[in-house]
Amino acid sequence: MSEFVKIVEVGPRDGLQNEKIPLSLEQRKTLILDLMRTGLKSIEVGSCVSAKWVPQMAQSDELYAQLPKDQTIELSLLTPNIIGFESALAVGCKEVAVFTAASESFTRKNINCSIDESFEKFSDIIAAAQAHDVKVRGYVSCIVDCPYEGAIDPQQVAKVSKRLYDMGCYEVSLGETLGTATPDRVKKVWNACLAELDSKVLAGHFHNTYGMAIANIYQSLEQGIRVFDSSIAGLGGCPYAKGASGNVSTEDLYYLLSNMGFETGVDLDALMQASRHINQVLNRQNSSNYTNAYWQTQSA
């Protein structure tokens, strides 16, 4: 029996949060419904943040409430503070995410506090989540390079990751935010983290700025990682990391995993349709190599 690799689809949140023109609530809902038909088991719906700061994520709690609930699909919301968590809780969300970074400078730029202060915020969220039987996932940004500090010590990544896990996060996703990493550097990060944590509680989140995301995911698979974040059509970027392009595309990740013999549960036809639809809505070129090759083959 093939080994299963979980794909966490972050397109509706990490993918859309940096679009210059926010999509309507209905357009975002259509994207998620398309994704729910692909067989993906984990989808990040949006972020419970102030619409003043991130207009692209406005009404994410309302969006969550409008979605059909399927017991086989985990729908989650990013909740940077207790107010956001309460909004998620009010609509029945059973999984939330919190985020920090392995870089002090990036944390201050991104969420306006130090790493230690970010954990103080998380303590209230995680305590409330545990009281209401809500799962919490943790994100760590800048696991290899920081736009302000340069190279990050892998031991610092391990320290922050373990702290998130010990605090109550069931899974910690390590974000290669700038997309500058190469497999040798990624291996060093995993070695440091795997000395502190089991591979079963770790996930990889890779950006494709320099075309290295798939190579870095292959290295991660070699280290025993079996959960990866990705974004439909490679949507996304980072407003605090100049030049950082989108997440690895879900389509390219699917191609790698399926051709290496891993099971993903993803239906290819449904995935291609979801990818085509969101690119039509955004009126942009698809950044997925596999998707572009797929449609060329289909039209040949």
Side-chain angles (χ1 to χ4, degrees):
M1 187 175 180
S2 299
E3 190 176 1
F4 184 78
V5 173
K6 185 173 82 167
I7 297 175
V8 179
E9 174 58 57
V10 298
R13 195 277 300 176
D14 199 19
L16 295 182
Q17 69 179 3
N18 298 306
E19 287 297 318
K20 293 181 180 178
I21 301 176
L23 297 189
S24 68
L25 201 65
E26 196 59 35
Q27 287 172 322
R28 290 161 63 195
K29 180 180 177 181
T30 297
L31 168 61
I32 297 169
L33 291 175
D34 283 347
L35 292 168
M36 292 178 75
R37 286 188 280 268
T38 66
L40 288 163
K41 300 302 181 186
S42 186
I43 302 171
E44 197 173 40
V45 170
S47 180
C48 293
V49 294
S50 168
K52 174 184 176 182
W53 298 111
V54 191
Q56 299 90 336
M57 291 292 100
Q59 299 173 285
S60 286
D61 52 347
E62 183 179 333
L63 173 59
Y64 182 96
Q66 291 182 15
L67 294 170
K69 304 305 181 289
D70 183 332
Q71 295 301 314
T72 68
I73 302 175
E74 297 175 331
L75 299 176
S76 63
L77 288 164
L78 190 72
T79 57
N81 51 45
I82 193 65
I83 296 173
F85 174 80
E86 289 170 349
S87 296
L89 186 64
V91 293
C93 185
K94 300 305 290 183
E95 180 175 338
V96 300
V98 296
F99 60 94
T100 187
S103 156
E104 284 287 354
S105 301
F106 190 86
T107 306
R108 290 189 180 279
K109 287 281 188 179
N110 196 20
I111 54 177
N112 197 34
C113 64
S114 68
I115 293 174
D116 283 343
E117 288 168 342
S118 72
F119 276 94
E120 289 174 13
K121 292 181 180 180
F122 300 159
S123 62
D124 290 340
I125 295 173
I126 292 173
Q130 290 173 340
H132 292 91
D133 195 28
V134 174
K135 296 198 303 182
V136 182
R137 190 175 197 247
Y139 282 110
V140 181
S141 297
C142 297
I143 64 164
V144 174
D145 287 321
C146 168
Y148 312 107
E149 296 181 16
I152 297 297
D153 184 350
Q155 295 301 324
Q156 170 69 1
V157 181
K159 176 183 175 183
V160 173
S161 300
K162 188 172 190 303
R163 193 171 171 186
L164 277 170
Y165 179 73
D166 289 345
M167 182 173 270
C169 291
Y170 81 95
E171 187 171 273
V172 181
S173 175
L174 305 190
E176 205 280 279
T177 310
L178 299 192
T180 53
T182 46
D184 57 319
R185 301 179 73 197
V186 168
K187 184 177 181 179
K188 291 177 182 177
V189 174
W190 289 128
N191 283 343
C193 292
L194 290 168
E196 301 290 341
L197 294 165
D198 192 287
S199 61
K200 293 179 181 178
V201 303
L202 293 169
H205 182 118
F206 293 95
H207 284 229
N208 202 40
T209 313
Y210 291 89
M212 288 289 103
I214 287 295
N216 290 330
I217 289 171
Y218 178 80
Q219 177 65 266
S220 304
L221 287 165
E222 291 287 286
Q223 303 310 310
I225 306 304
R226 295 295 181 264
V227 182
F228 296 96
D229 302 350
S230 63
S231 177
I232 191 74
L235 301 178
C238 179
Y240 302 99
K242 188 175 181 180
S245 64
N247 300 278
V248 65
S249 72
T250 304
E251 304 96 300
D252 289 359
L253 177 58
Y254 164 83
Y255 181 77
L256 174 73
L257 296 174
S258 61
N259 281 278
M260 286 182 66
F262 291 106
E263 180 59 49
T264 63
V266 172
D267 178 89
L268 177 58
D269 290 339
L271 186 66
M272 291 296 104
Q273 291 302 324
S275 177
R276 170 176 272 186
H277 189 210
I278 189 58
N279 275 282
Q280 290 172 339
V281 170
L282 294 170
N283 191 30
R284 67 190 293 171
Q285 175 68 33
N286 198 312
S287 65
S288 163
N289 292 315
Y290 174 60
T291 301
N292 291 326
Y294 174 89
W295 288 119
Q296 286 175 7
T297 302
Q298 295 297 306
S299 61

